[in-house]
């Protein structure tokens, strides 16, 4: 090592991808599993009807195996692959429901829409346990995190309702400026297509389509391949609370379904949360890209940067939570750590100890923090990143690093990393974290500035001059800078956004209500008394619903 730090790998930089200690964490037989959810019949919601796909369904595999049958994933249901034809039926249903803004839902007063949404939220809340169980079983979230995804979603819906009421309230008035009197109303854009990623399959879908619905749009929701089952218990609720065709839910191949829908040119807005390459592929197919509103939240490679005066224990605690929550499968996970050489030894050893103390196992066990990965290819990819980094001079610096058995992998800390390694720039989205050691603060500044991602950054230290220099340099590259705290999306009332491949659009209720609507003016000249009289006569009467309610 060139920085005077002698890093030794406690595992001799060896990988054990058949780790028997991890194998023992899986249930021995199916009988040892506390409670497998009843098999889910994965269905679709089109035009108010819960229907089957016209294509052959496939199994929904959980990330769990048993020690007796390590190559057989426990199946928790059937996944319906919506056909392209069904995607078109969904689009036609959404268009019929919207009817150029003359549909029942689009025309309904905000008050009435909010009442329907409140009843929906109450019903959804009653299903918290069922949905959380499916989240845990399908994507391997801990029981606690799975539950919090549902409760956070219910809270988000209620926040969005309040914000929507406030928006209508604020625009229920006449405005006058330079000889023009007008009223401005936020009206729906039309048909919205929303899709969510596997790590927040429920919550991140709702953060976009709920505001879209509240504004009077019709929506088509595409549930992700991993994380579709948590949507199934909600289909009957949508059918119960919203007019026919207002919301459709599809499962199946994103490329086929979403590609076909966007390719028609009849989708007015897309809310896509996923990878940059999928977003690029999808949007390339839009025949009229200039007419398509796009809200995108994508990849990230958030850095934690420790200044020379960082409090190591504060930084370690934040990094551990940022690295390990849902096994690092969050866009806001800490995916790169920069530590000043003066603190490197102390930091790496404390970080390694903390990470090594985390319990791997099954998510229904309350003490467990590291759980199986639901993406088939992820363990192989993590192994590839580690092997590549080891070959180029990094070490596995934690005792439990470099291990995996089928879907259960421990978290590996790699140090010191350099620009030749894949893990330096690729978003790992999983249990491996690189640590780079710097002597000149310009190194992490350059790394963040030149990255194609730009979500958040966590800075550790108290020196005002250095913090100021970092904030000034990095604020133009990321959407949020956290001081002595880990990165996170919440609280959900704040703008959640970023730059580059990380985001286009802002994910919170207020911004989303604006995004899925068009501020539409109805105006007259103030000196044209007759027209002003006619305009104001529309207000609050039964002749015109757009201007209804202004004072
Ligand atoms: O994966 C991306 C999420 O938006 C991160 O949200 O910070 O609340 O876990 P979170």
């Amino acid at each position: 090592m060139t920085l005077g730090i002698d890093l030794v790998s406690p595992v001799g930089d060896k990988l054990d991808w058949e780790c028997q200690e991890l194998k023992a964490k899986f249930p021995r037989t199916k009988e040892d599993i506390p409670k497998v959810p009843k098999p889910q019949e994965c269905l679709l919601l089109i035009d108010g009807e819960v229907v089957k796909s016209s294509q052959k369904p496939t199994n929904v595999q959980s990330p769990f195996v048993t020690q007796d049958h390590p190559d057989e994933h426990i199946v928790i249901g059937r996944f319906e692959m919506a056909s392209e034809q069904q995607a078109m039926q969904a689009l036609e249903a959404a268009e019929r429901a919207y009817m150029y803004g003359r549909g029942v839902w689009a025309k309904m007063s905000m008050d009435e829409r909010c009442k329907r949404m409140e009843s929906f939220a109450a019903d959804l809340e009653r299903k918290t346990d069922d949905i959380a169980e499916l989240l845990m079983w399908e994507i391997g979230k801990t029981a606690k995190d799975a539950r919090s995804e549902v409760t956070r979603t219910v809270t988000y819906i209620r926040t969005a309702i309040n914000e929507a009421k406030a928006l209508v309230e604020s625009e229920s008035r006449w405005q006058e400026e330079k000889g023009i009197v007008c009223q401005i109303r936020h009206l729906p854009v039309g048909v919205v297509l929303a899709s969510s990623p596997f790590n927040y399959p429920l919550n991140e879908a709702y953060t976009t389509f709920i505001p879209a619905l509240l504004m009077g749009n019709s929506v088509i929701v595409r549930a992700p391949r991993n994380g579709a089952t948590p949507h199934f218990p909600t289909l009957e609720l949508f059918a119960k609370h919203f007019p026919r065709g207002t919301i459709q839910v599809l499962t199946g191949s994103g490329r086929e379904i979403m590609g076909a829908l966007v390719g028609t040119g009849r989708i007015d807005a897309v809310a896509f949360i996923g990878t940059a390459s999928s977003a690029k592929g999808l949007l390339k197919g839009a025949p009229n890209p200039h007419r398509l509103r796009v809200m995108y939240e994508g990849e990230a490679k958030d850095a934690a940067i420790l200044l020379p005066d960082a409090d190591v224990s504060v930084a370690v605690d934040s990094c551990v939570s940022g690295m390990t929550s849902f096994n690092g499968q969050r866009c806001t996970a800490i995916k790169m750590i920069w530590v000043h050489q003066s603190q490197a030894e102390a930091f790496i050893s404390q970080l390694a100890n903390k990470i090594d103390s985390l319990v791997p196992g099954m998510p229904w066990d309350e003490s467990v923090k590291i759980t199986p990965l639901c993406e088939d290819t992820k363990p192989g990819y993590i192994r590839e990143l580690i092997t590549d980094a080891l070959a180029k001079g990094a070490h596995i610096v934690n005792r439990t690093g470099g291990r995996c058995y089928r879907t259960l992998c421990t978290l590996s800390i790699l140090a010191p990393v350099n620009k030749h390694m894949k893990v330096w720039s690729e978003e790992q989205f999983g249990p491996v974290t690189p640590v780079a050691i710097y002597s000149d603060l310009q190194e992490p500044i350059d790394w963040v500035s030149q990255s194609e991602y730009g979500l958040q950054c966590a800075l550790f230290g108290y020196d005002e001059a250095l913090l100021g220099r970092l904030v000034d340099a990095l604020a133009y590259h990321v959407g949020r800078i956290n001081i002595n705290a880990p990165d996170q999306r919440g609280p959900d009332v704040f703008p959640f956004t970023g730059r580059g491949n990380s985001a286009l659009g802002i994910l919170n209720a207020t911004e989303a209500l604006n995004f899925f609507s068009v501020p539409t003016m109805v105006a007259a000249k103030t000196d044209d008394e007759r027209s002003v009289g006619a305009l104001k006569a529309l207000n609050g009467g039964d002749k015109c619903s757009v201007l209804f309610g202004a004072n």
Side-chain angles (χ1 to χ4, degrees):
M1 286 260 345
T2 50
L3 291 162
I5 298 151
D6 197 13
L7 291 174
V8 180
S9 169
V11 291
D13 289 334
K14 295 236 166 20
L15 297 183
D16 180 2
W17 238 242
E18 280 292 325
C19 178
Q20 296 303 299
E21 221 179 286
L22 290 177
K23 179 179 181 181
K25 302 287 182 184
F26 285 97
R28 183 167 295 284
T29 65
K30 277 195 185 162
E31 284 65 51
D32 293 332
I33 299 170
K35 186 185 161 212
V36 183
K38 70 174 188 338
Q40 292 296 304
E41 259 321 312
C42 191
L43 300 165
L44 315 169
L45 179 71
I46 300 174
D47 204 12
E49 306 284 338
V50 178
V51 294
K52 278 184 178 286
S53 163
S54 47
Q55 305 202 112
K56 199 168 169 275
T58 56
N59 284 339
V60 180
Q61 294 197 336
S62 75
F64 314 121
V65 298
T66 60
Q67 293 176 45
D68 285 358
H69 297 284
D71 295 315
E72 269 177 37
H73 287 250
I74 294 165
V75 170
I76 57 164
R78 310 272 277 165
F79 182 85
E80 295 282 341
M81 302 292 286
S83 63
E84 203 178 308
Q85 191 196 7
Q86 283 176 313
M88 289 308 129
Q89 286 168 3
L91 175 59
E92 280 154 23
E95 286 177 332
R96 264 197 310 277
Y98 183 63
M99 191 71 74
Y100 304 102
R102 298 194 299 272
V104 176
W105 182 252
K107 270 270 167 278
M108 203 178 272
S109 69
M110 180 59 87
D111 206 37
E112 185 55 33
R113 270 191 232 133
C114 288
K115 274 192 197 130
R116 302 270 195 121
M117 195 60 90
E118 273 156 15
S119 319
F120 169 75
D123 269 355
L124 185 69
E125 194 170 31
R126 280 182 210 108
K127 287 193 181 271
T128 300
D129 292 342
D130 294 348
I131 297 173
E133 190 184 42
L134 291 170
L135 278 169
M136 180 183 81
W137 268 91
E138 194 176 348
I139 61 168
K141 237 175 211 191
T142 61
K144 184 169 165 254
D145 286 352
R147 205 183 156 75
S148 114
E149 177 163 349
V150 187
T151 52
R152 176 181 186 175
T153 303
V154 173
T155 306
Y156 182 91
I157 299 175
R158 294 190 171 131
T159 305
I161 291 171
N162 290 339
E163 293 292 316
K165 285 181 182 168
L167 176 66
V168 167
E169 179 67 28
S170 73
E171 59 191 18
S172 296
R173 66 195 175 92
W174 297 107
Q175 298 188 47
E176 255 186 68
E177 189 72 39
K178 293 190 174 154
I180 297 291
V181 58
C182 69
Q183 200 179 116
I184 302 171
R185 285 290 194 188
H186 280 75
L187 300 179
V189 297
V191 176
V192 173
L193 174 62
S195 83
S196 58
F198 82 84
N199 66 333
Y200 276 105
L202 188 87
N203 178 267
E204 289 200 336
Y206 280 60
T207 54
T208 55
F209 82 74
I210 292 292
L213 278 179
L214 280 168
M215 293 316 294
N217 298 282
S218 291
V219 303
I220 303 171
V221 181
R222 186 254 165 183
R225 178 68 183 86
N226 291 106
T229 58
H231 287 276
F232 302 158
T234 66
L235 301 189
E236 50 170 317
L237 304 187
F238 290 131
K240 173 178 162 194
H241 293 284
F242 303 107
R244 200 184 179 95
T246 305
I247 173 164
Q248 345 297 315
V249 181
L250 303 176
T251 56
S253 151
R255 199 170 304 151
E256 253 179 55
I257 302 174
M258 296 190 59
L261 288 168
V262 167
T264 61
R266 285 149 60 192
I267 296 291
D268 298 291
V270 175
F272 183 87
I273 306 180
T275 65
S277 61
S278 313
K280 208 167 157 182
L282 177 69
L283 299 174
K284 224 185 257 173
N288 294 308
H290 62 292
R291 276 171 34 183
L292 185 63
R293 284 165 185 249
V294 179
M295 180 181 276
Y296 160 77
E297 292 290 339
E299 301 158 2
K301 183 96 178 165
D302 288 5
I305 303 174
L306 276 77
L307 293 171
D309 74 335
D311 181 326
V312 169
S313 59
V314 168
V316 165
D317 285 349
S318 290
C319 287
V320 168
S321 95
M323 290 152 68
T324 60
S325 170
F326 194 33
N327 311 302
Q329 302 168 113
R330 292 159 60 235
C331 52
T332 46
I334 297 289
K335 300 195 183 102
M336 176 66 146
I337 299 175
W338 284 91
V339 58
H340 186 262
Q341 58 177 342
S342 61
Q343 298 259 43
E345 226 161 337
F347 172 75
I348 290 172
S349 99
Q350 283 189 39
L351 182 71
N353 285 339
K354 266 257 158 85
I355 292 292
D356 287 341
S357 69
L358 301 177
V359 181
M362 299 301 109
W364 47 84
D365 179 342
E366 270 180 27
S367 63
V368 160
K369 290 276 180 284
I370 309 287
T371 57
L373 306 170
C374 70
E375 289 181 299
D376 300 345
T377 52
K378 193 50 73 68
Y381 177 56
I382 297 297
R383 182 183 187 154
E384 189 185 313
L385 290 177
I386 299 174
T387 311
D388 171 73
L390 294 181
K392 292 167 184 166
H395 298 287
I396 300 170
V397 295
N398 59 318
R399 191 179 42 78
T400 57
R403 300 180 191 172
C404 195
Y405 186 80
R406 300 305 186 266
T407 54
L408 185 59
C409 302
T410 55
L411 192 138
S412 300
I413 308 169
L414 298 172
V417 293
N418 62 50
K419 65 177 180 192
H420 304 292
M421 302 169 185
K422 290 182 186 182
V423 77
W424 176 269
S425 51
E426 288 182 23
E427 185 197 31
Q428 62 270 45
F429 216 77
V432 56
T433 306
V435 180
I437 301 168
Y438 73 91
S439 53
D440 179 349
L441 196 54
Q442 197 55 42
E443 295 173 63
I445 291 176
D446 287 345
W447 183 89
V448 175
S449 321
Q450 289 158 16
S451 167
E452 50 189 283
Y453 309 109
L455 194 62
Q456 298 191 9
C457 206
L459 310 181
F460 295 93
Y462 301 89
D463 181 307
E464 289 167 22
L466 293 182
L467 279 177
R469 182 177 160 201
L470 276 175
V471 170
D472 278 358
L474 304 182
Y476 300 91
H477 299 284
V478 296
R480 171 166 164 175
I481 298 173
N482 300 289
I483 311 286
N484 296 305
D487 296 353
Q488 59 172 22
R489 174 162 40 124
D492 289 336
V493 289
F494 291 134
F496 177 60
T497 188
R499 295 172 185 249
N501 274 351
S502 292
L504 181 68
I506 305 168
L507 219 65
N508 77 354
T510 322
E511 300 288 348
L513 293 167
N514 284 321
F515 180 82
F516 293 114
S517 59
V518 179
T520 309
M521 267 171 72
V522 185
K525 287 184 169 175
T526 45
D527 60 5
D528 178 356
E529 276 180 31
R530 199 169 169 202
S531 299
V532 171
L535 172 63
K536 294 202 169 174
L538 297 177
N539 187 50
D542 55 6
K543 296 182 197 74
C544 173
S545 59
V546 166
L547 299 185
F548 183 84
N551 298 313

